[in-house]
């Protein structure tokens, strides 16, 4: 409880996130209809793997159908733009599936015209090189995750305003033997959400994995932020996948212009 | 589920299992951090679950450059075989409606590991105290029936206060009385399941408010230490002035980054 300046007493959120009493009360008042609604909501929120064009489910797990030695994941618009312009523009990539997910925060309904700014998950496999999403057993698979975070999330004894953004930091699992192409993320900094879920899984199951995290002060699609990922091109996972860097930079610039929203307060 | 770091699952028979409840002020978790850091406990495995928000970071107990690059996840298990202690650390909050399932899975594993007893470190909202609680010590304990026989005498000799029962539904005047731990997260669920499954479990908690809860965590570990004596009690050596508990290196910058000089 906390008292506000105006003298009202309000319930303050607890940073330990304890909604235990609310959950207990809900449990007491819950009817079979409530339970059914909750079950249906949980089913609606399940992640489904499909072939995008036909919208049919993939009947086996993606890695069983397309075992690979290099699994690269880009999360967020800038990371996706980097992967699209630099990696996927070199070579022919074939779409092998997508992950469909829904939750109460989803606003996008159009699944056919995707740009790096949309929140979706599409899986691609390199046609010319079967070892990337190819035919090697899972044990020798290496995972690379690319994502961005706002620089205010970065904790340091220096004031945040003195940091030169964007900058790259890495986190790696114990089985990842290579040196990452930037410095490691120091304590007490941590990572949450999907990148953390992927890295956590890899750490527990001893899969070599590395997360490259770009701290930036621009969260929308931005050329400088995307280019901050360039050091990753020298890593073992991405080496050999990028053929023509100047061409990729041009593709990136074109991507930026097509996504620029007219910033005009009168429209 | 428990996944060992090495090739085989360690033998935890007869060990004391320490764990936090994610509760107000995160006091239980801070206390477990102090225990793991002070005793230099070694990581023996992960409690891999989808019930907690995912989170990763580098070794929170790093003391030097060499050991700072080991990745840590949201639920990890540490052990000190010489003192027959095993500790579970939880580093993120529960996903809504998944806390009960987590308690089920955890307690089944603890039971099958044949641990001698479970000690849950927790906290409760200090603003929910009644008049009597306001005037007494802020520490409380709870024991499940299966542990009572073996520890009751020791607890009584320490003059500890048992957690009082309060109205189950506070808004109703003639409501029944039961054990409630407001702000305690999974504490009540763990305690109830501990009672029903016959698990020897003790809950140690402190009434706290959120803020800088480091002193509360230090208080809670000292309280635990009165009973379990995991480190030499301070009163034995009157010349001992320094804190016997070692704060982990990850406790830096708890309240954010450095301040911009322009502010002043």
């Amino acid at each position: 409880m906390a008292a506000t300046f105006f003298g009202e007493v309000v319930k303050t959120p607890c940073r330990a996130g304890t909604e235990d009493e609310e959950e207990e009360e809900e449990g007491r008042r819950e009817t079979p209809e409530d339970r059914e609604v909750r079950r249906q909501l949980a089913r609606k929120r399940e992640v489904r793997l499909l072939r995008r064009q036909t919208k049919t489910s993939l009947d086996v797990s993606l890695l069983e159908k397309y075992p690979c030695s290099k699994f690269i994941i880009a999360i967020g618009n800038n990371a996706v733009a980097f992967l699209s312009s630099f990696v996927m523009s070199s070579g022919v990539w074939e779409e092998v599936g997508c992950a469909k997910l829904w939750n109460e925060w989803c606003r996008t309904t159009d699944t056919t015209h995707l740009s790096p700014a949309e929140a979706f998950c599409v899986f691609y496999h390199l046609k010319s090189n079967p070892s990337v999403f190819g035919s090697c057993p899972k044990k020798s698979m290496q995972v690379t995750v690319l994502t961005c975070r706002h620089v205010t999330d970065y904790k340091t004894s220096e004031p945040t305003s003195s940091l030169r953004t964007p900058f790259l930091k890495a986190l790696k699992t114990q089985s990842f033997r290579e040196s990452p192409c930037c410095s490691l993320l120091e304590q007490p900094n941590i990572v949450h959400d999907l990148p953390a879920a992927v890295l956590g899984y890899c750490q527990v199951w001893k899969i070599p994995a590395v997360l490259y995290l770009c701290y930036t002060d621009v969260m929308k699609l931005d050329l400088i932020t995307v280019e901050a990922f360039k050091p990753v091109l020298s890593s073992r996972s991405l080496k050999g996948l990028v053929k023509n860097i100047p061409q990729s930079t041009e593709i990136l610039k074109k991507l930026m212009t097509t996504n620029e929203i007219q910033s005009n307060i009168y429209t | 589920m428990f996944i060992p770091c090495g090739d085989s699952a360690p033998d935890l028979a007869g060990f004391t299992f320490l764990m936090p409840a994610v509760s107000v002020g995160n006091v239980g978790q801070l206390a477990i951090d102090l225990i793991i850091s002070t005793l230099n406990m070694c990581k023996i495995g992960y409690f891999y679950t989808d019930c907690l928000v995912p989170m990763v970071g580098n070794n929170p107990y790093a003391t030097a450059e060499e050991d700072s690059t080991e990745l840590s996840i949201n639920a990890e298990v540490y052990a000190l075989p010489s003192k027959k202690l095993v500790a579970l650390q939880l580093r993120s909050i529960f996903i809504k409606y998944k806390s009960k399932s987590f308690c089920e899975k955890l307690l089944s594993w603890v039971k099958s590991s044949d641990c001698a007893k479970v000690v849950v470190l927790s906290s409760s909202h200090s603003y929910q105290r009644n008049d009597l609680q306001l005037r007494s010590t802020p520490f409380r304990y709870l024991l499940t029936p299966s542990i009572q026989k073996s520890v009751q005498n020791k607890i009584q000799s320490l003059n500890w206060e048992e957690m009082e029962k309060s109205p189950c539904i506070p808004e109703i005047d003639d409501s029944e009385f039961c054990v409630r731990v407001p702000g305690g997260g999974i504490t009540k669920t763990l305690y109830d399941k501990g009672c029903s499954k016959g698990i020897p479990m003790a809950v140690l908690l402190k009434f706290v408010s959120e803020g800088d809860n480091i002193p509360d965590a230090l208080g809670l570990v000292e309280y635990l230490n009165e009973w379990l004596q995991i480190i030499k009690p301070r009163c034995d050596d009157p010349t001992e002035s320094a804190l016997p508990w070692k704060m982990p290196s990850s406790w830096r910058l708890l309240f954010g980054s450095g301040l911009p000089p322009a502010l002043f």
Side-chain angles (χ1 to χ4, degrees):
Chain A
M1 297 297 213
T4 67
F5 181 74
F6 302 103
E8 331 152 88
V9 173
V10 294
K11 193 168 180 191
T12 47
C14 177
R15 77 176 181 241
T18 53
E19 294 164 336
D20 44 320
E21 297 208 335
E22 275 175 41
E23 273 186 47
E24 259 189 64
E25 269 201 55
E26 275 187 46
R28 266 198 294 264
R29 288 192 296 239
E30 205 178 43
T31 61
E33 288 85 14
D34 293 329
R35 269 195 289 275
E36 184 53 34
V37 166
R38 203 180 292 161
R39 236 195 314 267
Q40 289 200 9
L41 206 64
R43 222 175 295 145
K44 209 174 166 187
R45 285 154 139 244
E46 271 170 18
V47 179
R48 270 178 278 271
L49 286 179
L50 316 157
R51 283 205 141 270
R52 191 155 61 116
Q53 260 64 9
T54 59
K55 287 194 182 163
T56 50
S57 293
L58 278 167
D59 45 6
V60 290
S61 97
L62 207 68
L63 286 176
E64 253 182 68
K65 198 168 169 140
Y66 303 98
C68 67
S69 63
K70 290 184 187 179
F71 190 67
I72 305 161
I73 316 171
I75 302 165
N77 49 11
N78 286 301
V80 169
F82 171 76
L83 213 60
S84 303
S85 340
F86 287 84
V87 177
M88 293 174 61
S89 59
S90 321
V92 180
W93 291 79
E94 182 195 14
E95 190 202 308
V96 293
C98 71
K100 179 174 187 268
L101 60 97
W102 175 89
N103 62 37
E104 291 83 340
W105 290 354
C106 283
R107 283 176 292 181
T108 321
T109 47
D110 183 1
T111 57
T112 46
H113 302 106
L114 290 181
S115 70
E118 304 285 337
F120 265 86
C121 182
V122 189
F123 298 98
Y124 297 89
H125 122 131
L126 186 61
K127 267 186 131 162
S128 58
N129 186 351
S131 75
V132 182
F133 234 103
S135 53
C136 295
K138 194 174 165 186
K139 267 229 137 34
S140 60
M141 181 171 74
Q142 192 184 75
V143 177
T144 306
V145 187
L146 307 172
T147 192
C148 289
R149 272 287 176 279
H150 199 276
V151 69
T152 48
D153 273 352
Y154 182 69
K155 284 200 189 150
T156 168
S157 46
E158 310 280 314
T160 318
S161 48
S162 66
L163 294 171
R164 296 166 117 233
T165 51
F167 58 89
L168 216 56
K169 286 286 175 186
L171 271 179
K172 61 182 183 70
T173 60
Q174 202 144 5
S175 14
F176 187 83
R177 299 290 173 211
E178 232 178 279
S179 294
C181 29
C182 60
S183 56
L184 289 176
L185 185 65
E186 317 85 355
Q187 272 290 354
N189 291 291
I190 54 175
V191 174
H192 298 280
D193 306 328
L194 184 57
V198 173
L199 219 65
Y201 177 91
C202 293
Q203 172 72 3
V204 170
W205 301 109
K206 302 183 171 66
I207 300 171
V210 64
L211 161 66
Y212 287 108
L213 181 55
C214 179
Y215 282 100
T216 174
D217 51 5
V218 181
M219 289 315 280
K220 63 179 175 70
L221 206 56
D222 169 62
L223 188 65
I224 301 174
T225 304
V226 175
E227 291 200 319
F229 281 109
K230 271 187 171 164
V232 183
L233 295 176
S234 59
S235 71
R236 205 164 67 102
S237 341
L238 297 193
K239 211 178 232 179
L241 291 180
V242 183
K243 305 278 170 3
N244 190 339
I245 292 181
Q247 190 192 356
S248 300
T249 313
E250 278 312 306
I251 295 173
L252 179 63
K253 288 202 174 110
K254 262 198 204 115
L255 207 61
M256 295 287 155
T257 43
T258 51
N259 279 288
E260 243 169 41
I261 304 163
Q262 275 283 21
S263 163
N264 185 338
I265 58 169
Y266 301 107
T267 53
Chain B
M1 58 194 279
F2 176 72
I3 315 289
C5 283
D7 297 316
S8 59
D11 180 17
L12 302 175
F15 274 51
T16 298
F17 187 88
L18 302 172
M19 67 169 286
V22 179
S23 57
V24 56
N26 306 98
V27 178
Q29 294 159 286
L30 292 171
I32 293 285
D33 255 359
L34 283 170
I35 294 168
I36 296 172
S37 172
T38 307
L39 298 177
N40 208 15
M41 291 173 86
C42 147
K43 181 154 62 176
I44 57 164
Y46 309 95
F47 197 79
Y48 191 64
T49 172
D50 63 350
C51 302
L52 290 163
V53 168
M55 163 257 135
V56 291
N58 275 329
N59 185 7
Y61 312 112
T63 47
E65 193 66 45
E66 296 79 46
D67 61 358
S68 64
T69 58
E70 203 184 293
L71 197 71
S72 275
I73 68 165
N74 54 9
E76 296 187 318
V77 185
Y78 296 79
L80 187 66
S82 58
K83 290 199 196 254
K84 290 208 141 194
L85 275 180
V86 55
L88 166 72
Q89 179 59 301
L90 301 177
R91 301 194 173 101
S92 61
I93 55 177
F94 284 99
I95 288 172
K96 203 168 164 104
Y97 305 124
K98 291 218 164 177
S99 55
K100 279 199 165 62
S101 145
F102 176 83
C103 293
E104 284 282 332
K105 291 179 200 159
L106 178 69
L107 292 179
S108 311
W109 171 59
V110 167
K111 197 159 187 186
S112 64
S113 302
D114 213 11
C115 292
K117 57 182 178 289
V118 177
V119 181
V120 180
L121 299 180
S122 180
S123 53
S124 184
H125 284 306
S126 60
Y127 71 79
Q128 292 258 12
R129 287 175 293 175
N130 60 28
D131 292 347
L132 230 80
Q133 289 168 330
L134 277 168
R135 290 195 283 263
S136 60
T137 165
F139 299 100
R140 292 290 185 278
Y141 75 92
L142 279 169
L143 301 174
T144 57
S146 14
I147 201 180
Q148 255 161 18
K149 224 187 252 175
S150 48
V151 309
Q152 194 68 53
N153 292 334
K154 174 74 183 170
I155 300 286
Q156 263 170 5
S157 70
L158 293 168
N159 281 322
W160 278 8
E161 300 249 11
E162 192 173 3
M163 183 68 169
E164 298 89 341
K165 290 199 169 134
S166 54
C168 288
I169 305 163
E171 298 82 24
I172 297 175
D173 281 335
D174 57 353
S175 160
E176 274 178 25
F177 276 58
C178 61
V179 167
R180 277 177 67 237
V181 187
I186 54 170
T187 308
K188 172 114 168 51
T189 310
L190 281 171
Y191 176 71
D192 288 341
K193 287 196 195 287
C195 290
S196 60
K197 290 181 193 287
I199 295 178
M201 180 193 290
V203 174
L204 266 54
L205 63 89
K206 186 180 188 223
F207 291 117
V208 304
S209 298
E210 287 204 326
D212 180 357
N213 298 105
I214 294 176
D216 298 310
L218 286 164
L220 195 60
V221 290
E222 289 283 352
Y223 185 58
L224 173 71
N225 205 41
E226 277 176 40
W227 170 30
L228 291 186
Q229 308 260 296
I230 45 183
I231 65 164
K232 212 159 74 99
R234 250 196 303 166
C235 55
D236 275 9
D237 184 358
T239 61
E240 182 80 55
S241 55
L243 266 176
W245 301 98
K246 186 170 118 188
M247 294 194 207
S249 50
S250 57
W251 282 20
R252 294 176 54 231
L253 307 173
L254 272 179
F255 297 101
S257 291
L259 296 169
L263 202 65
F264 307 106

